[in-house]
Amino acid sequence: MEPFRLHILGCSSAMPTMKHYPACQVLNVREKLFMIDCGEGAQLQLRRMGLNFNRISAIFLSHLHGDHVFGLPGLISTFSMLGRTQSLHIYAPDDLEKVLRPWLDFFSPGLEFEVVCHKVCPTREEVIYDDRSLRVTTLPLSHRIPCCGFRFDEKPLLPHIRRDMIDYLGIPTYAIAAIKAGAGWTDAEGREWPHERLTTPAAPPRSYAYCSDTQYLPALAKRVSGVDLLYHEATFAQSEAVRAEQTCHSLASEAAQIALQAHAKRLLIGHFSARYEDESILLREAQAVFPNTLLAYEDLQIDL
């Protein structure tokens, strides 16, 4: 099966800390890399984890707080030094172009590739990226500044043609693509073999939802319904419920409640407050609601 793999480069924190790198993830969809948020140190983590810079085709930014974007200028400069020519598309729920362009003009003049900034609306759910293998939809969130999450849905794969039927019927190579696309086959004796007899179903398409900084939003559960993996911020434990409301962040138990209501297969929690030296309290509170919960940490790799 082709990869649909999540790499955690940074987990971020609601307050300054050296315990975690700022927020950054990379999603590998059939060997095409998509970056989600780009906190400071993103390019160092890319190198350390052995991820190929040149395969990053798009970057999705949840919002323009520094711990989610300060790695961007350095990453673009590195792309330039590596001789990138492919356009880089960046999707963000605010006027990123106004912020980024002066920096690039000063530090990275003469870029040999185009940086295309796409301003997305953080208050509505809409498809912002669509190719042969992937569709990306925005997820409205509620934070102190415009902020949205992203849902990544893999496109269905073609069915697998049965090797035994190829050999038995002597099906030529040129016919395989048509059969995978739905055609049948007529053998040398004129017998018709339907598509369903010649193939086996492909694995079901996979999905991932990234819900960055946000207060608890019950409506989010419907938008991430049925995902294979849900990432949801879990900044505070239950004892800090007032603080969570004041800062527009979520409790670990609230993240778990979203996963439960969405019938997600797995929940990954992150963006922990620096007050927690031991984040197991957040894991315990989330697992009490949604048992299949994991803690995000640097270097974590999850195959979907």
mmCIF file with all atom_site columns, all heavy atoms in Angstrom, residues 33-59:
data_model
loop_
_atom_site.group_PDB
_atom_site.id
_atom_site.type_symbol
_atom_site.label_atom_id
_atom_site.label_alt_id
_atom_site.label_comp_id
_atom_site.label_asym_id
_atom_site.label_entity_id
_atom_site.label_seq_id
_atom_site.pdbx_PDB_ins_code
_atom_site.Cartn_x
_atom_site.Cartn_y
_atom_site.Cartn_z
_atom_site.occupancy
_atom_site.B_iso_or_equiv
_atom_site.pdbx_formal_charge
_atom_site.auth_seq_id
_atom_site.auth_comp_id
_atom_site.auth_asym_id
_atom_site.auth_atom_id
_atom_site.pdbx_PDB_model_num
ATOM 1   N N   . LEU A 1 33 ? 4.864  15.146 -0.148 1.00 0.00 ? 33 LEU A N   1
ATOM 2   C CA  . LEU A 1 33 ? 4.893  15.660 1.215  1.00 0.00 ? 33 LEU A CA  1
ATOM 3   C C   . LEU A 1 33 ? 4.133  16.977 1.338  1.00 0.00 ? 33 LEU A C   1
ATOM 4   O O   . LEU A 1 33 ? 4.306  17.883 0.524  1.00 0.00 ? 33 LEU A O   1
ATOM 5   C CB  . LEU A 1 33 ? 6.343  15.862 1.672  1.00 0.00 ? 33 LEU A CB  1
ATOM 6   C CG  . LEU A 1 33 ? 7.257  14.638 1.641  1.00 0.00 ? 33 LEU A CG  1
ATOM 7   C CD1 . LEU A 1 33 ? 8.613  14.976 2.245  1.00 0.00 ? 33 LEU A CD1 1
ATOM 8   C CD2 . LEU A 1 33 ? 6.640  13.447 2.366  1.00 0.00 ? 33 LEU A CD2 1
ATOM 9   N N   . PHE A 1 34 ? 3.339  17.068 2.389  1.00 0.00 ? 34 PHE A N   1
ATOM 10  C CA  . PHE A 1 34 ? 2.574  18.269 2.695  1.00 0.00 ? 34 PHE A CA  1
ATOM 11  C C   . PHE A 1 34 ? 2.929  18.696 4.118  1.00 0.00 ? 34 PHE A C   1
ATOM 12  O O   . PHE A 1 34 ? 2.786  17.902 5.057  1.00 0.00 ? 34 PHE A O   1
ATOM 13  C CB  . PHE A 1 34 ? 1.075  18.008 2.580  1.00 0.00 ? 34 PHE A CB  1
ATOM 14  C CG  . PHE A 1 34 ? 0.651  17.570 1.200  1.00 0.00 ? 34 PHE A CG  1
ATOM 15  C CD1 . PHE A 1 34 ? 0.632  16.221 0.864  1.00 0.00 ? 34 PHE A CD1 1
ATOM 16  C CD2 . PHE A 1 34 ? 0.279  18.496 0.241  1.00 0.00 ? 34 PHE A CD2 1
ATOM 17  C CE1 . PHE A 1 34 ? 0.252  15.808 -0.400 1.00 0.00 ? 34 PHE A CE1 1
ATOM 18  C CE2 . PHE A 1 34 ? -0.096 18.097 -1.029 1.00 0.00 ? 34 PHE A CE2 1
ATOM 19  C CZ  . PHE A 1 34 ? -0.109 16.755 -1.353 1.00 0.00 ? 34 PHE A CZ  1
ATOM 20  N N   . MET A 1 35 ? 3.374  19.942 4.286  1.00 0.00 ? 35 MET A N   1
ATOM 21  C CA  . MET A 1 35 ? 3.727  20.448 5.605  1.00 0.00 ? 35 MET A CA  1
ATOM 22  C C   . MET A 1 35 ? 2.524  21.133 6.231  1.00 0.00 ? 35 MET A C   1
ATOM 23  O O   . MET A 1 35 ? 1.794  21.862 5.554  1.00 0.00 ? 35 MET A O   1
ATOM 24  C CB  . MET A 1 35 ? 4.912  21.411 5.511  1.00 0.00 ? 35 MET A CB  1
ATOM 25  C CG  . MET A 1 35 ? 5.333  21.982 6.861  1.00 0.00 ? 35 MET A CG  1
ATOM 26  S SD  . MET A 1 35 ? 6.878  22.939 6.779  1.00 0.00 ? 35 MET A SD  1
ATOM 27  C CE  . MET A 1 35 ? 8.068  21.586 6.781  1.00 0.00 ? 35 MET A CE  1
ATOM 28  N N   . ILE A 1 36 ? 2.335  20.890 7.529  1.00 0.00 ? 36 ILE A N   1
ATOM 29  C CA  . ILE A 1 36 ? 1.239  21.501 8.270  1.00 0.00 ? 36 ILE A CA  1
ATOM 30  C C   . ILE A 1 36 ? 1.833  22.315 9.403  1.00 0.00 ? 36 ILE A C   1
ATOM 31  O O   . ILE A 1 36 ? 2.446  21.767 10.324 1.00 0.00 ? 36 ILE A O   1
ATOM 32  C CB  . ILE A 1 36 ? 0.278  20.435 8.840  1.00 0.00 ? 36 ILE A CB  1
ATOM 33  C CG1 . ILE A 1 36 ? -0.093 19.408 7.764  1.00 0.00 ? 36 ILE A CG1 1
ATOM 34  C CG2 . ILE A 1 36 ? -0.970 21.092 9.409  1.00 0.00 ? 36 ILE A CG2 1
ATOM 35  C CD1 . ILE A 1 36 ? -0.721 18.153 8.329  1.00 0.00 ? 36 ILE A CD1 1
ATOM 36  N N   . ASP A 1 37 ? 1.704  23.615 9.313  1.00 0.00 ? 37 ASP A N   1
ATOM 37  C CA  . ASP A 1 37 ? 2.358  24.579 10.192 1.00 0.00 ? 37 ASP A CA  1
ATOM 38  C C   . ASP A 1 37 ? 3.879  24.474 10.037 1.00 0.00 ? 37 ASP A C   1
ATOM 39  O O   . ASP A 1 37 ? 4.415  23.436 9.600  1.00 0.00 ? 37 ASP A O   1
ATOM 40  C CB  . ASP A 1 37 ? 1.918  24.439 11.645 1.00 0.00 ? 37 ASP A CB  1
ATOM 41  C CG  . ASP A 1 37 ? 0.547  25.082 11.885 1.00 0.00 ? 37 ASP A CG  1
ATOM 42  O OD1 . ASP A 1 37 ? 0.179  25.989 11.112 1.00 0.00 ? 37 ASP A OD1 1
ATOM 43  O OD2 . ASP A 1 37 ? -0.139 24.699 12.843 1.00 0.00 ? 37 ASP A OD2 1
ATOM 44  N N   . CYS A 1 38 ? 4.557  25.569 10.373 1.00 0.00 ? 38 CYS A N   1
ATOM 45  C CA  . CYS A 1 38 ? 5.996  25.628 10.096 1.00 0.00 ? 38 CYS A CA  1
ATOM 46  C C   . CYS A 1 38 ? 6.675  26.446 11.187 1.00 0.00 ? 38 CYS A C   1
ATOM 47  O O   . CYS A 1 38 ? 7.151  27.558 10.954 1.00 0.00 ? 38 CYS A O   1
ATOM 48  C CB  . CYS A 1 38 ? 6.241  26.242 8.711  1.00 0.00 ? 38 CYS A CB  1
ATOM 49  S SG  . CYS A 1 38 ? 7.959  26.154 8.153  1.00 0.00 ? 38 CYS A SG  1
ATOM 50  N N   . GLY A 1 39 ? 6.694  25.886 12.386 1.00 0.00 ? 39 GLY A N   1
ATOM 51  C CA  . GLY A 1 39 ? 7.321  26.565 13.503 1.00 0.00 ? 39 GLY A CA  1
ATOM 52  C C   . GLY A 1 39 ? 8.834  26.643 13.355 1.00 0.00 ? 39 GLY A C   1
ATOM 53  O O   . GLY A 1 39 ? 9.440  25.977 12.509 1.00 0.00 ? 39 GLY A O   1
ATOM 54  N N   . GLU A 1 40 ? 9.447  27.466 14.180 1.00 0.00 ? 40 GLU A N   1
ATOM 55  C CA  . GLU A 1 40 ? 10.898 27.656 14.154 1.00 0.00 ? 40 GLU A CA  1
ATOM 56  C C   . GLU A 1 40 ? 11.607 26.309 14.319 1.00 0.00 ? 40 GLU A C   1
ATOM 57  O O   . GLU A 1 40 ? 11.230 25.485 15.141 1.00 0.00 ? 40 GLU A O   1
ATOM 58  C CB  . GLU A 1 40 ? 11.293 28.607 15.280 1.00 0.00 ? 40 GLU A CB  1
ATOM 59  C CG  . GLU A 1 40 ? 12.726 29.069 15.240 1.00 0.00 ? 40 GLU A CG  1
ATOM 60  C CD  . GLU A 1 40 ? 13.003 30.116 16.309 1.00 0.00 ? 40 GLU A CD  1
ATOM 61  O OE1 . GLU A 1 40 ? 12.064 30.489 17.039 1.00 0.00 ? 40 GLU A OE1 1
ATOM 62  O OE2 . GLU A 1 40 ? 14.157 30.554 16.406 1.00 0.00 ? 40 GLU A OE2 1
ATOM 63  N N   . GLY A 1 41 ? 12.628 26.086 13.510 1.00 0.00 ? 41 GLY A N   1
ATOM 64  C CA  . GLY A 1 41 ? 13.368 24.840 13.563 1.00 0.00 ? 41 GLY A CA  1
ATOM 65  C C   . GLY A 1 41 ? 12.840 23.767 12.635 1.00 0.00 ? 41 GLY A C   1
ATOM 66  O O   . GLY A 1 41 ? 13.354 22.641 12.635 1.00 0.00 ? 41 GLY A O   1
ATOM 67  N N   . ALA A 1 42 ? 11.851 24.096 11.817 1.00 0.00 ? 42 ALA A N   1
ATOM 68  C CA  . ALA A 1 42 ? 11.239 23.092 10.948 1.00 0.00 ? 42 ALA A CA  1
ATOM 69  C C   . ALA A 1 42 ? 12.262 22.456 10.015 1.00 0.00 ? 42 ALA A C   1
ATOM 70  O O   . ALA A 1 42 ? 12.291 21.229 9.844  1.00 0.00 ? 42 ALA A O   1
ATOM 71  C CB  . ALA A 1 42 ? 10.098 23.715 10.137 1.00 0.00 ? 42 ALA A CB  1
ATOM 72  N N   . GLN A 1 43 ? 13.128 23.279 9.411  1.00 0.00 ? 43 GLN A N   1
ATOM 73  C CA  . GLN A 1 43 ? 14.078 22.713 8.450  1.00 0.00 ? 43 GLN A CA  1
ATOM 74  C C   . GLN A 1 43 ? 15.131 21.836 9.141  1.00 0.00 ? 43 GLN A C   1
ATOM 75  O O   . GLN A 1 43 ? 15.589 20.837 8.569  1.00 0.00 ? 43 GLN A O   1
ATOM 76  C CB  . GLN A 1 43 ? 14.742 23.810 7.629  1.00 0.00 ? 43 GLN A CB  1
ATOM 77  C CG  . GLN A 1 43 ? 15.600 24.776 8.415  1.00 0.00 ? 43 GLN A CG  1
ATOM 78  C CD  . GLN A 1 43 ? 16.377 25.695 7.469  1.00 0.00 ? 43 GLN A CD  1
ATOM 79  O OE1 . GLN A 1 43 ? 16.946 25.238 6.489  1.00 0.00 ? 43 GLN A OE1 1
ATOM 80  N NE2 . GLN A 1 43 ? 16.388 26.984 7.766  1.00 0.00 ? 43 GLN A NE2 1
ATOM 81  N N   . LEU A 1 44 ? 15.487 22.164 10.374 1.00 0.00 ? 44 LEU A N   1
ATOM 82  C CA  . LEU A 1 44 ? 16.429 21.328 11.108 1.00 0.00 ? 44 LEU A CA  1
ATOM 83  C C   . LEU A 1 44 ? 15.814 19.958 11.395 1.00 0.00 ? 44 LEU A C   1
ATOM 84  O O   . LEU A 1 44 ? 16.478 18.926 11.282 1.00 0.00 ? 44 LEU A O   1
ATOM 85  C CB  . LEU A 1 44 ? 16.823 22.009 12.425 1.00 0.00 ? 44 LEU A CB  1
ATOM 86  C CG  . LEU A 1 44 ? 17.508 23.377 12.298 1.00 0.00 ? 44 LEU A CG  1
ATOM 87  C CD1 . LEU A 1 44 ? 17.805 23.941 13.679 1.00 0.00 ? 44 LEU A CD1 1
ATOM 88  C CD2 . LEU A 1 44 ? 18.791 23.256 11.488 1.00 0.00 ? 44 LEU A CD2 1
ATOM 89  N N   . GLN A 1 45 ? 14.544 19.962 11.745 1.00 0.00 ? 45 GLN A N   1
ATOM 90  C CA  . GLN A 1 45 ? 13.847 18.711 12.005 1.00 0.00 ? 45 GLN A CA  1
ATOM 91  C C   . GLN A 1 45 ? 13.670 17.891 10.729 1.00 0.00 ? 45 GLN A C   1
ATOM 92  O O   . GLN A 1 45 ? 13.757 16.660 10.748 1.00 0.00 ? 45 GLN A O   1
ATOM 93  C CB  . GLN A 1 45 ? 12.484 18.985 12.653 1.00 0.00 ? 45 GLN A CB  1
ATOM 94  C CG  . GLN A 1 45 ? 12.559 19.431 14.099 1.00 0.00 ? 45 GLN A CG  1
ATOM 95  C CD  . GLN A 1 45 ? 13.013 18.291 14.988 1.00 0.00 ? 45 GLN A CD  1
ATOM 96  O OE1 . GLN A 1 45 ? 14.208 18.032 15.133 1.00 0.00 ? 45 GLN A OE1 1
ATOM 97  N NE2 . GLN A 1 45 ? 12.060 17.583 15.573 1.00 0.00 ? 45 GLN A NE2 1
ATOM 98  N N   . LEU A 1 46 ? 13.427 18.576 9.616  1.00 0.00 ? 46 LEU A N   1
ATOM 99  C CA  . LEU A 1 46 ? 13.327 17.873 8.337  1.00 0.00 ? 46 LEU A CA  1
ATOM 100 C C   . LEU A 1 46 ? 14.611 17.108 8.048  1.00 0.00 ? 46 LEU A C   1
ATOM 101 O O   . LEU A 1 46 ? 14.584 15.933 7.652  1.00 0.00 ? 46 LEU A O   1
ATOM 102 C CB  . LEU A 1 46 ? 13.058 18.863 7.205  1.00 0.00 ? 46 LEU A CB  1
ATOM 103 C CG  . LEU A 1 46 ? 11.622 19.334 6.989  1.00 0.00 ? 46 LEU A CG  1
ATOM 104 C CD1 . LEU A 1 46 ? 11.600 20.470 5.973  1.00 0.00 ? 46 LEU A CD1 1
ATOM 105 C CD2 . LEU A 1 46 ? 10.725 18.197 6.511  1.00 0.00 ? 46 LEU A CD2 1
ATOM 106 N N   . ARG A 1 47 ? 15.737 17.786 8.248  1.00 0.00 ? 47 ARG A N   1
ATOM 107 C CA  . ARG A 1 47 ? 17.024 17.139 7.997  1.00 0.00 ? 47 ARG A CA  1
ATOM 108 C C   . ARG A 1 47 ? 17.245 15.973 8.958  1.00 0.00 ? 47 ARG A C   1
ATOM 109 O O   . ARG A 1 47 ? 17.692 14.892 8.569  1.00 0.00 ? 47 ARG A O   1
ATOM 110 C CB  . ARG A 1 47 ? 18.159 18.157 8.143  1.00 0.00 ? 47 ARG A CB  1
ATOM 111 C CG  . ARG A 1 47 ? 18.216 19.197 7.034  1.00 0.00 ? 47 ARG A CG  1
ATOM 112 C CD  . ARG A 1 47 ? 19.470 20.045 7.167  1.00 0.00 ? 47 ARG A CD  1
ATOM 113 N NE  . ARG A 1 47 ? 19.493 21.136 6.213  1.00 0.00 ? 47 ARG A NE  1
ATOM 114 C CZ  . ARG A 1 47 ? 19.845 21.016 4.929  1.00 0.00 ? 47 ARG A CZ  1
ATOM 115 N NH1 . ARG A 1 47 ? 20.185 19.825 4.463  1.00 0.00 ? 47 ARG A NH1 1
ATOM 116 N NH2 . ARG A 1 47 ? 19.840 22.052 4.121  1.00 0.00 ? 47 ARG A NH2 1
ATOM 117 N N   . ARG A 1 48 ? 16.953 16.191 10.217 1.00 0.00 ? 48 ARG A N   1
ATOM 118 C CA  . ARG A 1 48 ? 17.215 15.172 11.228 1.00 0.00 ? 48 ARG A CA  1
ATOM 119 C C   . ARG A 1 48 ? 16.370 13.926 10.995 1.00 0.00 ? 48 ARG A C   1
ATOM 120 O O   . ARG A 1 48 ? 16.809 12.807 11.271 1.00 0.00 ? 48 ARG A O   1
ATOM 121 C CB  . ARG A 1 48 ? 16.931 15.748 12.619 1.00 0.00 ? 48 ARG A CB  1
ATOM 122 C CG  . ARG A 1 48 ? 17.579 14.963 13.744 1.00 0.00 ? 48 ARG A CG  1
ATOM 123 C CD  . ARG A 1 48 ? 17.525 15.734 15.036 1.00 0.00 ? 48 ARG A CD  1
ATOM 124 N NE  . ARG A 1 48 ? 16.174 15.875 15.516 1.00 0.00 ? 48 ARG A NE  1
ATOM 125 C CZ  . ARG A 1 48 ? 15.511 14.938 16.195 1.00 0.00 ? 48 ARG A CZ  1
ATOM 126 N NH1 . ARG A 1 48 ? 16.087 13.783 16.440 1.00 0.00 ? 48 ARG A NH1 1
ATOM 127 N NH2 . ARG A 1 48 ? 14.291 15.148 16.610 1.00 0.00 ? 48 ARG A NH2 1
ATOM 128 N N   . MET A 1 49 ? 15.154 14.131 10.465 1.00 0.00 ? 49 MET A N   1
ATOM 129 C CA  . MET A 1 49 ? 14.260 13.008 10.245 1.00 0.00 ? 49 MET A CA  1
ATOM 130 C C   . MET A 1 49 ? 14.415 12.397 8.851  1.00 0.00 ? 49 MET A C   1
ATOM 131 O O   . MET A 1 49 ? 13.724 11.433 8.511  1.00 0.00 ? 49 MET A O   1
ATOM 132 C CB  . MET A 1 49 ? 12.809 13.435 10.479 1.00 0.00 ? 49 MET A CB  1
ATOM 133 C CG  . MET A 1 49 ? 12.542 13.863 11.910 1.00 0.00 ? 49 MET A CG  1
ATOM 134 S SD  . MET A 1 49 ? 10.833 14.389 12.209 1.00 0.00 ? 49 MET A SD  1
ATOM 135 C CE  . MET A 1 49 ? 9.989  12.808 12.139 1.00 0.00 ? 49 MET A CE  1
ATOM 136 N N   . GLY A 1 50 ? 15.318 12.967 8.057  1.00 0.00 ? 50 GLY A N   1
ATOM 137 C CA  . GLY A 1 50 ? 15.604 12.390 6.747  1.00 0.00 ? 50 GLY A CA  1
ATOM 138 C C   . GLY A 1 50 ? 14.501 12.577 5.726  1.00 0.00 ? 50 GLY A C   1
ATOM 139 O O   . GLY A 1 50 ? 14.363 11.773 4.799  1.00 0.00 ? 50 GLY A O   1
ATOM 140 N N   . LEU A 1 51 ? 13.705 13.652 5.860  1.00 0.00 ? 51 LEU A N   1
ATOM 141 C CA  . LEU A 1 51 ? 12.627 13.924 4.913  1.00 0.00 ? 51 LEU A CA  1
ATOM 142 C C   . LEU A 1 51 ? 13.145 14.778 3.765  1.00 0.00 ? 51 LEU A C   1
ATOM 143 O O   . LEU A 1 51 ? 13.917 15.719 3.979  1.00 0.00 ? 51 LEU A O   1
ATOM 144 C CB  . LEU A 1 51 ? 11.463 14.620 5.617  1.00 0.00 ? 51 LEU A CB  1
ATOM 145 C CG  . LEU A 1 51 ? 10.778 13.782 6.707  1.00 0.00 ? 51 LEU A CG  1
ATOM 146 C CD1 . LEU A 1 51 ? 9.785  14.619 7.492  1.00 0.00 ? 51 LEU A CD1 1
ATOM 147 C CD2 . LEU A 1 51 ? 10.088 12.566 6.109  1.00 0.00 ? 51 LEU A CD2 1
ATOM 148 N N   . ASN A 1 52 ? 12.718 14.481 2.572  1.00 0.00 ? 52 ASN A N   1
ATOM 149 C CA  . ASN A 1 52 ? 13.210 15.135 1.363  1.00 0.00 ? 52 ASN A CA  1
ATOM 150 C C   . ASN A 1 52 ? 12.556 16.501 1.176  1.00 0.00 ? 52 ASN A C   1
ATOM 151 O O   . ASN A 1 52 ? 11.345 16.596 0.916  1.00 0.00 ? 52 ASN A O   1
ATOM 152 C CB  . ASN A 1 52 ? 12.934 14.240 0.150  1.00 0.00 ? 52 ASN A CB  1
ATOM 153 C CG  . ASN A 1 52 ? 13.622 14.733 -1.105 1.00 0.00 ? 52 ASN A CG  1
ATOM 154 O OD1 . ASN A 1 52 ? 13.853 15.916 -1.288 1.00 0.00 ? 52 ASN A OD1 1
ATOM 155 N ND2 . ASN A 1 52 ? 13.940 13.802 -1.993 1.00 0.00 ? 52 ASN A ND2 1
ATOM 156 N N   . PHE A 1 53 ? 13.359 17.572 1.278  1.00 0.00 ? 53 PHE A N   1
ATOM 157 C CA  . PHE A 1 53 ? 12.856 18.936 1.114  1.00 0.00 ? 53 PHE A CA  1
ATOM 158 C C   . PHE A 1 53 ? 12.105 19.099 -0.204 1.00 0.00 ? 53 PHE A C   1
ATOM 159 O O   . PHE A 1 53 ? 11.075 19.768 -0.268 1.00 0.00 ? 53 PHE A O   1
ATOM 160 C CB  . PHE A 1 53 ? 14.022 19.931 1.134  1.00 0.00 ? 53 PHE A CB  1
ATOM 161 C CG  . PHE A 1 53 ? 14.560 20.236 2.497  1.00 0.00 ? 53 PHE A CG  1
ATOM 162 C CD1 . PHE A 1 53 ? 15.255 19.284 3.226  1.00 0.00 ? 53 PHE A CD1 1
ATOM 163 C CD2 . PHE A 1 53 ? 14.383 21.491 3.071  1.00 0.00 ? 53 PHE A CD2 1
ATOM 164 C CE1 . PHE A 1 53 ? 15.761 19.576 4.478  1.00 0.00 ? 53 PHE A CE1 1
ATOM 165 C CE2 . PHE A 1 53 ? 14.890 21.794 4.315  1.00 0.00 ? 53 PHE A CE2 1
ATOM 166 C CZ  . PHE A 1 53 ? 15.579 20.830 5.025  1.00 0.00 ? 53 PHE A CZ  1
ATOM 167 N N   . ASN A 1 54 ? 12.657 18.537 -1.270 1.00 0.00 ? 54 ASN A N   1
ATOM 168 C CA  . ASN A 1 54 ? 12.129 18.789 -2.606 1.00 0.00 ? 54 ASN A CA  1
ATOM 169 C C   . ASN A 1 54 ? 10.765 18.153 -2.851 1.00 0.00 ? 54 ASN A C   1
ATOM 170 O O   . ASN A 1 54 ? 10.106 18.468 -3.837 1.00 0.00 ? 54 ASN A O   1
ATOM 171 C CB  . ASN A 1 54 ? 13.119 18.295 -3.668 1.00 0.00 ? 54 ASN A CB  1
ATOM 172 C CG  . ASN A 1 54 ? 14.381 19.133 -3.697 1.00 0.00 ? 54 ASN A CG  1
ATOM 173 O OD1 . ASN A 1 54 ? 14.334 20.342 -3.487 1.00 0.00 ? 54 ASN A OD1 1
ATOM 174 N ND2 . ASN A 1 54 ? 15.518 18.495 -3.941 1.00 0.00 ? 54 ASN A ND2 1
ATOM 175 N N   . ARG A 1 55 ? 10.342 17.249 -1.973 1.00 0.00 ? 55 ARG A N   1
ATOM 176 C CA  . ARG A 1 55 ? 9.035  16.620 -2.162 1.00 0.00 ? 55 ARG A CA  1
ATOM 177 C C   . ARG A 1 55 ? 7.915  17.379 -1.462 1.00 0.00 ? 55 ARG A C   1
ATOM 178 O O   . ARG A 1 55 ? 6.750  16.980 -1.535 1.00 0.00 ? 55 ARG A O   1
ATOM 179 C CB  . ARG A 1 55 ? 9.072  15.162 -1.680 1.00 0.00 ? 55 ARG A CB  1
ATOM 180 C CG  . ARG A 1 55 ? 9.969  14.266 -2.504 1.00 0.00 ? 55 ARG A CG  1
ATOM 181 C CD  . ARG A 1 55 ? 9.373  12.887 -2.702 1.00 0.00 ? 55 ARG A CD  1
ATOM 182 N NE  . ARG A 1 55 ? 8.951  12.286 -1.444 1.00 0.00 ? 55 ARG A NE  1
ATOM 183 C CZ  . ARG A 1 55 ? 9.720  11.504 -0.681 1.00 0.00 ? 55 ARG A CZ  1
ATOM 184 N NH1 . ARG A 1 55 ? 10.967 11.244 -1.048 1.00 0.00 ? 55 ARG A NH1 1
ATOM 185 N NH2 . ARG A 1 55 ? 9.268  10.981 0.437  1.00 0.00 ? 55 ARG A NH2 1
ATOM 186 N N   . ILE A 1 56 ? 8.254  18.489 -0.779 1.00 0.00 ? 56 ILE A N   1
ATOM 187 C CA  . ILE A 1 56 ? 7.213  19.308 -0.148 1.00 0.00 ? 56 ILE A CA  1
ATOM 188 C C   . ILE A 1 56 ? 6.562  20.166 -1.227 1.00 0.00 ? 56 ILE A C   1
ATOM 189 O O   . ILE A 1 56 ? 7.187  21.054 -1.801 1.00 0.00 ? 56 ILE A O   1
ATOM 190 C CB  . ILE A 1 56 ? 7.797  20.191 0.972  1.00 0.00 ? 56 ILE A CB  1
ATOM 191 C CG1 . ILE A 1 56 ? 8.326  19.316 2.109  1.00 0.00 ? 56 ILE A CG1 1
ATOM 192 C CG2 . ILE A 1 56 ? 6.731  21.159 1.499  1.00 0.00 ? 56 ILE A CG2 1
ATOM 193 C CD1 . ILE A 1 56 ? 9.010  20.086 3.213  1.00 0.00 ? 56 ILE A CD1 1
ATOM 194 N N   . SER A 1 57 ? 5.300  19.900 -1.508 1.00 0.00 ? 57 SER A N   1
ATOM 195 C CA  . SER A 1 57 ? 4.620  20.598 -2.595 1.00 0.00 ? 57 SER A CA  1
ATOM 196 C C   . SER A 1 57 ? 3.719  21.725 -2.100 1.00 0.00 ? 57 SER A C   1
ATOM 197 O O   . SER A 1 57 ? 3.391  22.640 -2.861 1.00 0.00 ? 57 SER A O   1
ATOM 198 C CB  . SER A 1 57 ? 3.791  19.613 -3.423 1.00 0.00 ? 57 SER A CB  1
ATOM 199 O OG  . SER A 1 57 ? 2.878  18.920 -2.597 1.00 0.00 ? 57 SER A OG  1
ATOM 200 N N   . ALA A 1 58 ? 3.311  21.658 -0.831 1.00 0.00 ? 58 ALA A N   1
ATOM 201 C CA  . ALA A 1 58 ? 2.424  22.697 -0.297 1.00 0.00 ? 58 ALA A CA  1
ATOM 202 C C   . ALA A 1 58 ? 2.586  22.768 1.216  1.00 0.00 ? 58 ALA A C   1
ATOM 203 O O   . ALA A 1 58 ? 2.949  21.776 1.863  1.00 0.00 ? 58 ALA A O   1
ATOM 204 C CB  . ALA A 1 58 ? 0.973  22.409 -0.666 1.00 0.00 ? 58 ALA A CB  1
ATOM 205 N N   . ILE A 1 59 ? 2.313  23.950 1.756  1.00 0.00 ? 59 ILE A N   1
ATOM 206 C CA  . ILE A 1 59 ? 2.369  24.177 3.199  1.00 0.00 ? 59 ILE A CA  1
ATOM 207 C C   . ILE A 1 59 ? 1.024  24.743 3.634  1.00 0.00 ? 59 ILE A C   1
ATOM 208 O O   . ILE A 1 59 ? 0.509  25.680 3.015  1.00 0.00 ? 59 ILE A O   1
ATOM 209 C CB  . ILE A 1 59 ? 3.505  25.134 3.584  1.00 0.00 ? 59 ILE A CB  1
ATOM 210 C CG1 . ILE A 1 59 ? 4.865  24.536 3.177  1.00 0.00 ? 59 ILE A CG1 1
ATOM 211 C CG2 . ILE A 1 59 ? 3.489  25.428 5.085  1.00 0.00 ? 59 ILE A CG2 1
ATOM 212 C CD1 . ILE A 1 59 ? 6.044  25.469 3.418  1.00 0.00 ? 59 ILE A CD1 1
#
